[in-house]
Coordinates of all heavy atoms in Angstrom, one line a residue:
P1 N 191.5 79.7 -58.6 CA 191.3 81.2 -58.5 C 190.5 81.5 -57.3 O 189.6 80.8 -56.9 CB 190.6 81.6 -59.8 CG 190.7 80.4 -60.7 CD 191.0 79.2 -59.9
P2 N 190.7 82.7 -56.7 CA 190.0 83.1 -55.5 C 188.5 83.2 -55.6 O 187.8 82.9 -54.8 CB 190.7 84.5 -55.1 CG 191.8 84.7 -56.0 CD 191.8 83.7 -57.1
R3 N 188.1 83.7 -56.8 CA 186.7 83.9 -57.1 C 186.0 82.5 -57.0 O 184.9 82.4 -56.5 CB 186.4 84.6 -58.4 CG 185.0 84.9 -58.6 CD 184.8 85.6 -60.0 NE 183.5 86.2 -60.3 CZ 182.4 85.5 -60.2 NH1 182.3 84.3 -59.8 NH2 181.3 86.1 -60.5
V4 N 186.6 81.5 -57.7 CA 185.9 80.2 -57.7 C 185.9 79.6 -56.3 O 184.9 79.0 -56.0 CB 186.7 79.3 -58.7 CG1 186.2 77.9 -58.6 CG2 186.7 79.8 -60.1
S5 N 186.9 79.8 -55.5 CA 186.9 79.2 -54.2 C 185.9 79.9 -53.3 O 185.2 79.3 -52.5 CB 188.3 79.3 -53.6 OG 188.7 80.6 -53.4
A6 N 185.7 81.2 -53.5 CA 184.7 82.0 -52.8 C 183.3 81.5 -53.2 O 182.4 81.3 -52.3 CB 184.8 83.5 -53.1
I7 N 183.1 81.2 -54.4 CA 181.8 80.7 -54.9 C 181.5 79.3 -54.3 O 180.4 79.0 -53.8 CB 181.7 80.7 -56.4 CG1 181.6 82.1 -56.9 CG2 180.5 79.9 -56.9 CD1 181.7 82.3 -58.4
T8 N 182.5 78.4 -54.4 CA 182.3 77.1 -53.9 C 182.1 77.1 -52.3 O 181.4 76.2 -51.8 CB 183.5 76.1 -54.2 OG1 184.7 76.7 -53.7 CG2 183.6 75.9 -55.7
N9 N 182.7 78.0 -51.6 CA 182.5 78.2 -50.2 C 181.1 78.7 -49.9 O 180.5 78.4 -48.8 CB 183.5 79.1 -49.6 CG 184.9 78.4 -49.5 OD1 185.0 77.2 -49.6 ND2 185.9 79.3 -49.5
A10 N 180.5 79.5 -50.8 CA 179.2 80.1 -50.6 C 178.0 79.1 -50.9 O 177.0 79.2 -50.3 CB 179.0 81.3 -51.4
V11 N 178.3 78.1 -51.8 CA 177.3 77.1 -52.1 C 177.1 76.1 -51.1 O 178.1 75.5 -50.6 CB 177.6 76.5 -53.5 CG1 176.6 75.4 -53.9 CG2 177.6 77.6 -54.6
R12 N 175.9 75.8 -50.7 CA 175.7 74.7 -49.7 C 174.9 73.6 -50.4 O 173.9 73.8 -51.1 CB 174.8 75.3 -48.5 CG 175.5 76.4 -47.8 CD 176.6 75.9 -46.9 NE 177.3 77.0 -46.3 CZ 178.6 77.3 -46.5 NH1 179.3 76.7 -47.4 NH2 179.2 78.3 -45.9
F13 N 175.3 72.4 -50.1 CA 174.6 71.2 -50.7 C 173.8 70.5 -49.5 O 174.3 70.5 -48.4 CB 175.7 70.2 -51.2 CG 176.5 70.8 -52.4 CD1 177.8 71.2 -52.1 CD2 175.9 71.0 -53.6 CE1 178.5 71.8 -53.1 CE2 176.7 71.6 -54.6 CZ 178.0 72.0 -54.4
G14 N 172.7 70.0 -49.9 CA 171.9 69.3 -48.9 C 172.5 68.1 -48.3 O 173.4 67.4 -49.0
T15 N 172.1 67.7 -47.1 CA 172.7 66.5 -46.5 C 172.1 65.2 -47.1 O 172.6 64.2 -46.8 CB 172.3 66.6 -45.0 OG1 170.9 66.7 -44.8 CG2 173.0 67.8 -44.3
H16 N 171.1 65.4 -47.9 CA 170.5 64.2 -48.5 C 171.3 63.6 -49.7 O 171.0 62.5 -50.2 CB 169.1 64.5 -49.0 CG 169.0 65.5 -50.1 ND1 169.2 66.9 -49.8 CD2 168.8 65.4 -51.4 CE1 169.1 67.5 -51.0 NE2 168.9 66.7 -52.0
L17 N 172.3 64.3 -50.1 CA 173.2 63.9 -51.2 C 174.2 62.9 -50.7 O 174.8 63.1 -49.6 CB 173.9 65.1 -51.9 CG 173.0 66.1 -52.6 CD1 173.9 67.2 -53.1 CD2 172.2 65.5 -53.7
S18 N 174.5 61.9 -51.5 CA 175.6 61.0 -51.2 C 176.9 61.7 -51.4 O 177.0 62.8 -52.0 CB 175.6 59.7 -52.0 OG 175.9 60.0 -53.4
Q19 N 178.0 61.1 -50.9 CA 179.3 61.8 -51.1 C 179.7 61.9 -52.5 O 180.2 63.0 -53.0 CB 180.4 60.9 -50.4 CG 181.8 61.5 -50.3 CD 181.8 62.8 -49.4 OE1 181.0 62.9 -48.5 NE2 182.8 63.6 -49.7
E20 N 179.3 60.9 -53.3 CA 179.6 61.0 -54.8 C 178.8 62.1 -55.4 O 179.3 62.8 -56.3 CB 179.3 59.6 -55.4 CG 179.6 59.6 -56.9 CD 179.2 58.3 -57.5 OE1 178.9 57.3 -56.8 OE2 179.1 58.2 -58.8
Q21 N 177.5 62.2 -55.1 CA 176.7 63.3 -55.6 C 177.2 64.6 -55.2 O 177.1 65.6 -56.0 CB 175.2 63.1 -55.1 CG 174.5 61.9 -55.7 CD 173.2 61.6 -55.1 OE1 173.0 61.8 -53.9 NE2 172.2 61.2 -55.9
Q22 N 177.6 64.8 -54.0 CA 178.2 66.1 -53.5 C 179.4 66.4 -54.4 O 179.6 67.6 -54.7 CB 178.5 66.0 -52.1 CG 177.3 66.2 -51.2 CD 177.8 66.3 -49.7 OE1 178.9 66.0 -49.3 NE2 176.8 66.8 -48.9
Q23 N 180.3 65.5 -54.6 CA 181.5 65.7 -55.4 C 181.1 66.1 -56.8 O 181.7 67.0 -57.4 CB 182.4 64.5 -55.4 CG 183.0 64.2 -54.0 CD 183.8 62.9 -54.0 OE1 183.7 62.1 -54.9 NE2 184.5 62.7 -52.9
K24 N 180.1 65.4 -57.4 CA 179.7 65.8 -58.8 C 179.1 67.2 -58.8 O 179.4 68.0 -59.7 CB 178.7 64.8 -59.3 CG 179.3 63.5 -59.7 CD 178.3 62.5 -60.2 CE 178.9 61.2 -60.6 NZ 177.9 60.3 -61.2
A25 N 178.3 67.5 -57.8 CA 177.7 68.8 -57.8 C 178.7 69.9 -57.6 O 178.7 71.0 -58.2 CB 176.6 68.9 -56.6
Q26 N 179.7 69.7 -56.7 CA 180.7 70.6 -56.5 C 181.6 70.8 -57.8 O 182.0 71.9 -58.1 CB 181.6 70.3 -55.3 CG 182.6 71.4 -54.9 CD 183.2 71.1 -53.6 OE1 183.2 70.0 -53.1 NE2 183.8 72.2 -53.0
A27 N 181.8 69.7 -58.5 CA 182.6 69.8 -59.8 C 181.8 70.7 -60.8 O 182.4 71.4 -61.5 CB 182.8 68.4 -60.3
L28 N 180.5 70.5 -60.8 CA 179.7 71.4 -61.7 C 179.7 72.8 -61.3 O 179.8 73.7 -62.2 CB 178.2 70.9 -61.7 CG 177.9 69.7 -62.5 CD1 176.5 69.2 -62.3 CD2 178.1 69.9 -64.0
V29 N 179.7 73.1 -60.0 CA 179.8 74.5 -59.6 C 181.1 75.1 -60.0 O 181.2 76.2 -60.5 CB 179.6 74.6 -58.0 CG1 179.9 76.0 -57.5 CG2 178.1 74.2 -57.7
I30 N 182.2 74.3 -59.8 CA 183.5 74.8 -60.2 C 183.6 75.0 -61.7 O 184.1 76.0 -62.2 CB 184.6 73.8 -59.7 CG1 184.7 73.9 -58.2 CG2 185.9 74.1 -60.4 CD1 185.5 72.7 -57.6
E31 N 183.0 74.1 -62.5 CA 183.1 74.2 -64.0 C 182.3 75.4 -64.5 O 182.7 76.0 -65.4 CB 182.5 72.9 -64.6 CG 182.5 72.9 -66.1 CD 182.0 71.6 -66.7 OE1 181.7 70.6 -65.9 OE2 181.8 71.6 -67.9
F32 N 181.2 75.7 -63.8 CA 180.3 76.8 -64.3 C 180.3 77.9 -63.3 O 179.3 78.6 -63.2 CB 178.9 76.2 -64.5 CG 178.8 75.2 -65.6 CD1 178.6 73.9 -65.3 CD2 178.8 75.6 -66.9 CE1 178.5 72.9 -66.3 CE2 178.8 74.7 -67.9 CZ 178.6 73.3 -67.6
A33 N 181.4 78.2 -62.7 CA 181.5 79.3 -61.7 C 181.3 80.6 -62.3 O 180.8 81.5 -61.6 CB 182.9 79.2 -61.1
D34 N 181.5 80.8 -63.6 CA 181.2 82.1 -64.2 C 179.8 82.5 -64.3 O 179.4 83.6 -64.5 CB 181.8 82.1 -65.7 CG 181.2 81.0 -66.6 OD1 180.8 80.0 -66.1 OD2 181.1 81.3 -67.8
V35 N 178.8 81.5 -64.1 CA 177.4 81.9 -64.1 C 176.9 82.3 -62.7 O 175.7 82.7 -62.6 CB 176.5 80.8 -64.7 CG1 176.9 80.5 -66.1 CG2 176.6 79.5 -63.8
F36 N 177.7 82.1 -61.7 CA 177.3 82.5 -60.3 C 177.8 83.9 -60.0 O 178.8 84.4 -60.5 CB 177.9 81.5 -59.3 CG 177.3 80.1 -59.4 CD1 177.9 79.2 -60.2 CD2 176.2 79.8 -58.7 CE1 177.4 77.9 -60.2 CE2 175.7 78.5 -58.7 CZ 176.3 77.6 -59.5
T37 N 177.1 84.6 -59.1 CA 177.5 85.9 -58.6 C 177.7 85.8 -57.1 O 177.0 85.1 -56.4 CB 176.5 87.0 -58.9 OG1 175.3 86.8 -58.2 CG2 176.3 87.1 -60.4
L38 N 178.6 86.6 -56.6 CA 178.8 86.7 -55.2 C 178.0 87.8 -54.6 O 177.8 87.9 -53.4 CB 180.3 86.9 -54.9 CG 181.2 85.6 -55.2 CD1 182.6 86.0 -55.1 CD2 180.8 84.5 -54.3
S39 N 177.6 88.7 -55.4 CA 176.8 89.9 -55.0 C 175.8 90.3 -56.0 O 176.1 90.1 -57.2 CB 177.8 91.1 -54.7 OG 177.1 92.3 -54.5
I40 N 174.7 90.9 -55.6 CA 173.7 91.4 -56.6 C 174.3 92.5 -57.5 O 173.9 92.7 -58.6 CB 172.5 91.9 -55.9 CG1 171.3 92.1 -56.8 CG2 172.7 93.1 -55.1 CD1 170.7 90.8 -57.3
R41 N 175.4 93.1 -57.0 CA 176.0 94.2 -57.8 C 176.7 93.6 -59.0 O 177.0 94.4 -60.0 CB 177.0 94.9 -56.9 CG 176.3 95.7 -55.8 CD 177.3 96.6 -55.0 NE 176.6 97.3 -54.0 CZ 176.8 97.2 -52.7 NH1 177.7 96.4 -52.3 NH2 176.1 97.9 -51.9
E42 N 177.0 92.3 -59.0 CA 177.6 91.7 -60.2 C 176.7 91.4 -61.3 O 177.1 91.2 -62.5 CB 178.3 90.4 -59.8 CG 179.5 90.6 -58.9 CD 180.1 89.3 -58.5 OE1 180.1 88.4 -59.4 OE2 180.6 89.1 -57.4
V43 N 175.4 91.5 -61.1 CA 174.4 91.2 -62.1 C 174.2 92.4 -63.0 O 173.9 93.5 -62.5 CB 173.0 90.8 -61.4 CG1 172.0 90.6 -62.5 CG2 173.2 89.6 -60.5
K44 N 174.4 92.3 -64.2 CA 174.3 93.4 -65.2 C 172.9 93.4 -65.8 O 172.4 92.3 -66.2 CB 175.3 93.2 -66.3 CG 176.7 93.1 -65.8 CD 177.3 94.4 -65.3 CE 178.7 94.4 -65.0 NZ 179.1 94.5 -63.6
P45 N 172.2 94.5 -65.9 CA 171.0 94.6 -66.6 C 171.1 94.4 -68.1 O 172.2 94.7 -68.7 CB 170.4 96.0 -66.3 CG 171.6 96.8 -66.0 CD 172.6 95.8 -65.4
V46 N 170.2 93.8 -68.8 CA 170.2 93.6 -70.2 C 169.0 94.3 -70.8 O 167.9 94.4 -70.2 CB 170.2 92.0 -70.6 CG1 171.5 91.4 -70.1 CG2 169.0 91.4 -70.0
D47 N 169.2 94.7 -72.1 CA 168.1 95.4 -72.7 C 167.7 94.6 -74.0 O 166.9 95.1 -74.8 CB 168.5 96.8 -73.1 CG 169.7 96.9 -74.0 OD1 170.3 95.9 -74.3 OD2 170.1 98.0 -74.4
F48 N 168.2 93.5 -74.2 CA 167.9 92.7 -75.5 C 166.8 91.7 -75.3 O 166.6 90.9 -76.2 CB 169.2 92.1 -76.0 CG 169.9 91.2 -75.1 CD1 169.5 89.9 -74.9 CD2 171.0 91.7 -74.3 CE1 170.2 89.0 -74.0 CE2 171.6 90.8 -73.4 CZ 171.2 89.5 -73.3
T49 N 166.2 91.6 -74.2 CA 165.1 90.6 -74.0 C 163.8 91.4 -73.6 O 163.9 92.4 -73.0 CB 165.4 89.6 -72.9 OG1 165.6 90.3 -71.7 CG2 166.7 88.8 -73.2
Q50 N 162.7 90.8 -74.0 CA 161.4 91.3 -73.6 C 160.6 90.2 -73.1 O 160.7 89.1 -73.7 CB 160.7 92.0 -74.8 CG 161.4 93.3 -75.2 CD 160.6 94.0 -76.3 OE1 159.7 93.4 -76.9 NE2 161.0 95.3 -76.5
F51 N 159.8 90.4 -72.1 CA 158.9 89.4 -71.6 C 157.5 89.9 -71.7 O 157.2 91.0 -71.2 CB 159.3 89.1 -70.1 CG 158.5 88.0 -69.5 CD1 158.8 86.7 -69.8 CD2 157.5 88.3 -68.6 CE1 158.0 85.7 -69.3 CE2 156.8 87.3 -68.1 CZ 157.0 86.0 -68.4
H52 N 156.6 89.1 -72.3 CA 155.2 89.5 -72.5 C 154.4 88.5 -71.8 O 154.5 87.3 -72.1 CB 154.9 89.7 -73.9 CG 155.6 90.7 -74.6 ND1 155.4 92.1 -74.5 CD2 156.7 90.6 -75.5 CE1 156.2 92.8 -75.2 NE2 157.0 91.9 -75.8
L53 N 153.5 88.9 -70.9 CA 152.5 88.0 -70.3 C 151.3 87.8 -71.2 O 150.8 88.8 -71.7 CB 152.1 88.5 -69.0 CG 153.1 88.6 -67.9 CD1 152.6 89.2 -66.6 CD2 153.6 87.2 -67.5
Q54 N 150.9 86.6 -71.5 CA 149.7 86.4 -72.3 C 148.5 86.3 -71.4 O 148.0 85.3 -71.1 CB 149.9 85.1 -73.1 CG 151.2 85.0 -73.9 CD 151.2 86.0 -75.1 OE1 150.1 86.3 -75.6 NE2 152.3 86.6 -75.4
I55 N 148.0 87.5 -71.1 CA 146.8 87.6 -70.2 C 145.6 88.1 -71.0 O 145.7 89.1 -71.6 CB 147.1 88.6 -69.0 CG1 148.3 88.2 -68.2 CG2 145.9 88.8 -68.1 CD1 148.8 89.1 -67.2
P56 N 144.6 87.3 -70.9 CA 143.4 87.8 -71.7 C 142.9 89.1 -71.1 O 143.0 89.4 -70.0 CB 142.4 86.7 -71.4 CG 143.2 85.5 -71.0 CD 144.4 86.0 -70.3
Q57 N 142.3 89.9 -72.0 CA 141.8 91.2 -71.7 C 140.7 91.2 -70.6 O 140.6 92.2 -69.8 CB 141.2 91.9 -72.9 CG 142.3 92.3 -73.9 CD 143.2 93.4 -73.4 OE1 142.8 94.3 -72.6 NE2 144.4 93.4 -73.9
D58 N 139.9 90.2 -70.5 CA 138.7 90.2 -69.6 C 139.1 89.6 -68.2 O 138.2 89.5 -67.4 CB 137.6 89.4 -70.2 CG 138.0 87.9 -70.6 OD1 139.2 87.7 -70.6 OD2 137.1 87.1 -70.7
V59 N 140.3 89.3 -67.9 CA 140.7 88.8 -66.6 C 140.8 89.9 -65.6 O 141.3 91.0 -65.9 CB 142.1 88.1 -66.7 CG1 142.6 87.7 -65.4 CG2 142.0 86.9 -67.6
I60 N 140.2 89.7 -64.4 CA 140.3 90.7 -63.3 C 141.1 90.1 -62.2 O 140.8 88.9 -61.8 CB 138.9 91.0 -62.9 CG1 138.1 91.6 -64.0 CG2 138.9 92.0 -61.7 CD1 136.6 91.9 -63.7
F61 N 142.1 90.8 -61.7 CA 142.9 90.3 -60.7 C 142.5 91.0 -59.3 O 142.0 92.1 -59.3 CB 144.4 90.7 -60.9 CG 145.0 89.9 -62.1 CD1 145.1 90.4 -63.3 CD2 145.4 88.6 -61.9 CE1 145.6 89.7 -64.4 CE2 145.9 87.8 -62.9 CZ 146.0 88.4 -64.2
S62 N 142.8 90.3 -58.2 CA 142.6 90.9 -56.9 C 143.6 92.0 -56.7 O 144.8 91.9 -57.1 CB 142.7 89.8 -55.8 OG 142.7 90.4 -54.6
R63 N 143.2 93.1 -56.1 CA 144.1 94.2 -55.8 C 144.6 94.2 -54.4 O 145.4 95.1 -53.9 CB 143.4 95.5 -56.0 CG 143.0 95.7 -57.5 CD 142.5 97.0 -57.7 NE 142.0 97.1 -59.1 CZ 141.0 97.8 -59.5 NH1 140.3 98.5 -58.7 NH2 140.7 97.9 -60.8
K64 N 144.3 93.1 -53.6 CA 144.8 93.0 -52.2 C 146.0 92.1 -52.2 O 146.0 91.1 -52.8 CB 143.7 92.5 -51.4 CG 142.5 93.4 -51.2 CD 141.5 92.8 -50.3 CE 140.3 93.8 -50.1 NZ 139.3 93.3 -49.2
A65 N 146.9 92.5 -51.4 CA 148.1 91.7 -51.2 C 147.9 90.9 -49.9 O 147.8 91.5 -48.8 CB 149.4 92.6 -51.1
H66 N 147.9 89.6 -50.0 CA 147.7 88.8 -48.8 C 149.1 88.2 -48.4 O 149.5 87.1 -48.8 CB 146.7 87.6 -49.1 CG 145.4 88.1 -49.5 ND1 144.5 88.7 -48.6 CD2 144.8 88.2 -50.7 CE1 143.4 89.0 -49.2 NE2 143.5 88.7 -50.5
Q67 N 149.8 89.0 -47.7 CA 151.2 88.6 -47.3 C 151.3 88.6 -45.8 O 150.9 89.5 -45.1 CB 152.2 89.6 -47.9 CG 153.6 89.2 -47.5 CD 154.6 90.1 -48.1 OE1 154.3 90.9 -49.0 NE2 155.9 90.0 -47.7
R68 N 151.7 87.4 -45.3 CA 151.9 87.3 -43.8 C 153.2 88.1 -43.5 O 154.1 88.2 -44.2 CB 152.1 85.9 -43.4 CG 150.8 85.1 -43.5 CD 150.9 83.7 -42.9 NE 151.3 82.9 -44.1 CZ 151.9 81.7 -44.0 NH1 152.2 81.2 -42.8 NH2 152.1 81.0 -45.0
P69 N 153.2 88.6 -42.2 CA 154.5 89.3 -41.8 C 155.6 88.3 -41.8 O 155.5 87.1 -41.5 CB 154.1 89.8 -40.4 CG 152.6 89.7 -40.3 CD 152.2 88.7 -41.3
L70 N 156.8 88.9 -42.0 CA 158.0 88.0 -41.9 C 158.3 87.6 -40.5 O 158.1 88.3 -39.6 CB 159.2 88.8 -42.5 CG 159.2 89.2 -44.0 CD1 160.3 90.1 -44.3 CD2 159.1 88.0 -44.9
T71 N 158.8 86.4 -40.4 CA 159.3 85.9 -39.1 C 160.6 86.5 -38.8 O 161.3 87.1 -39.7 CB 159.4 84.4 -39.1 OG1 160.4 84.0 -40.0 CG2 158.1 83.7 -39.5
Q72 N 161.1 86.4 -37.6 CA 162.3 87.0 -37.1 C 163.5 86.4 -37.9 O 164.4 87.1 -38.4 CB 162.6 86.8 -35.6 CG 163.7 87.6 -35.1 CD 163.4 89.1 -35.2 OE1 162.2 89.6 -35.3 NE2 164.4 89.9 -35.3
P73 N 163.6 85.1 -38.1 CA 164.7 84.5 -39.0 C 164.6 85.0 -40.4 O 165.7 85.3 -41.0 CB 164.5 83.0 -38.9 CG 163.7 82.8 -37.6 CD 162.8 84.0 -37.5
Q74 N 163.4 85.2 -41.0 CA 163.3 85.7 -42.3 C 163.8 87.1 -42.4 O 164.5 87.5 -43.3 CB 161.9 85.6 -42.8 CG 161.4 84.2 -43.0 CD 159.9 84.2 -43.3 OE1 159.1 84.9 -42.7 NE2 159.5 83.2 -44.1
C75 N 163.5 87.9 -41.4 CA 163.9 89.3 -41.4 C 165.5 89.4 -41.2 O 166.1 90.2 -41.9 CB 163.3 90.1 -40.2 SG 161.6 90.4 -40.3
K76 N 166.0 88.5 -40.4 CA 167.4 88.5 -40.2 C 168.2 88.2 -41.5 O 169.3 88.7 -41.7 CB 167.8 87.4 -39.1 CG 169.2 87.4 -38.6 CD 169.4 86.4 -37.5 CE 170.8 86.4 -37.1 NZ 171.0 85.4 -36.0
Y77 N 167.6 87.3 -42.3 CA 168.3 87.0 -43.6 C 168.0 88.0 -44.6 O 168.9 88.5 -45.3 CB 167.8 85.6 -44.1 CG 168.1 85.4 -45.5 CD1 169.4 85.0 -45.9 CD2 167.2 85.6 -46.5 CE1 169.8 84.8 -47.2 CE2 167.6 85.4 -47.9 CZ 168.8 85.0 -48.2 OH 169.2 84.9 -49.5
L78 N 166.7 88.4 -44.8 CA 166.3 89.2 -45.9 C 166.8 90.7 -45.8 O 167.2 91.2 -46.9 CB 164.8 89.2 -46.0 CG 164.2 90.0 -47.2 CD1 164.6 89.3 -48.5 CD2 162.7 90.0 -47.1
F79 N 166.7 91.3 -44.7 CA 167.1 92.7 -44.6 C 168.5 93.0 -45.1 O 168.8 94.0 -45.8 CB 166.8 93.3 -43.3 CG 165.3 93.4 -43.0 CD1 164.8 93.5 -41.7 CD2 164.3 93.4 -44.0 CE1 163.4 93.5 -41.5 CE2 163.0 93.5 -43.8 CZ 162.5 93.5 -42.5
P80 N 169.5 92.3 -44.6 CA 170.9 92.5 -45.1 C 171.0 92.3 -46.6 O 171.7 93.0 -47.3 CB 171.8 91.6 -44.3 CG 171.0 91.2 -43.1 CD 169.6 91.3 -43.5
V81 N 170.3 91.3 -47.1 CA 170.3 91.1 -48.6 C 169.7 92.3 -49.3 O 170.3 92.8 -50.3 CB 169.5 89.8 -49.0 CG1 169.4 89.6 -50.5 CG2 170.2 88.6 -48.4
L82 N 168.6 92.8 -48.8 CA 168.0 94.0 -49.5 C 168.9 95.2 -49.3 O 169.0 96.0 -50.3 CB 166.7 94.3 -48.8 CG 165.6 93.2 -49.1 CD1 164.3 93.6 -48.3 CD2 165.3 93.1 -50.6
D83 N 169.6 95.4 -48.2 CA 170.5 96.5 -48.0 C 171.7 96.4 -49.0 O 172.2 97.4 -49.4 CB 171.0 96.5 -46.6 CG 170.0 96.9 -45.6 OD1 169.0 97.6 -46.0 OD2 170.1 96.7 -44.4
D84 N 172.1 95.2 -49.4 CA 173.2 95.0 -50.3 C 172.8 95.4 -51.7 O 173.6 95.7 -52.5 CB 173.6 93.5 -50.2 CG 174.9 93.4 -51.0 OD1 175.8 94.2 -50.9 OD2 175.1 92.3 -51.7
M85 N 171.5 95.3 -52.0 CA 171.0 95.7 -53.3 C 171.2 97.2 -53.5 O 171.4 97.8 -54.5 CB 169.6 95.3 -53.6 CG 169.4 93.9 -53.7 SD 167.6 93.6 -54.0 CE 167.6 91.8 -54.1

């Protein structure tokens, strides 16, 4: 199917894998192609789960965000992804 081939074309495997490992990994991607998305728009929100953080009441968190500016390659990758959302 075209969707499965698009997903397998989008997945990149590391060069550290042997040929046999790459074939097994690609077979897994093909077998479980239904759990991959090609776009963030394909992700559906769910309302049947809840996540609760177990944070003690007396914990105090820092209010400062210590984030370094993005590098040019990071910007080049991230901004189109954000625009697609």
Side-chain angles (χ1 to χ4, degrees):
R3 186 179 188 310
V4 174
S5 62
I7 289 171
T8 56
N9 290 336
V11 174
R12 300 285 177 247
F13 300 104
T15 57
H16 63 284
L17 297 177
S18 68
Q19 188 67 24
E20 181 183 346
Q21 290 172 324
Q22 281 187 345
Q23 289 172 350
K24 286 182 180 181
Q26 190 166 16
L28 281 172
V29 170
I30 291 169
E31 181 180 352
F32 296 103
D34 60 328
V35 300
F36 293 92
T37 64
L38 292 170
S39 168
I40 192 73
R41 292 185 179 119
E42 294 180 33
V43 179
K44 305 285 189 247
V46 295
D47 60 357
F48 56 83
T49 61
Q50 291 183 349
F51 183 76
H52 298 283
L53 295 174
Q54 304 295 327
I55 301 173
Q57 292 289 332
D58 58 342
V59 173
I60 299 173
F61 291 100
S62 172
R63 295 186 184 145
K64 293 183 179 181
H66 300 285
Q67 181 176 351
R68 286 186 270 160
L70 296 175
T71 64
Q72 194 63 27
Q74 290 170 328
C75 291
K76 187 176 178 181
Y77 166 78
L78 184 62
F79 292 157
V81 171
L82 293 175
D83 289 339
D84 190 39
M85 289 182 179

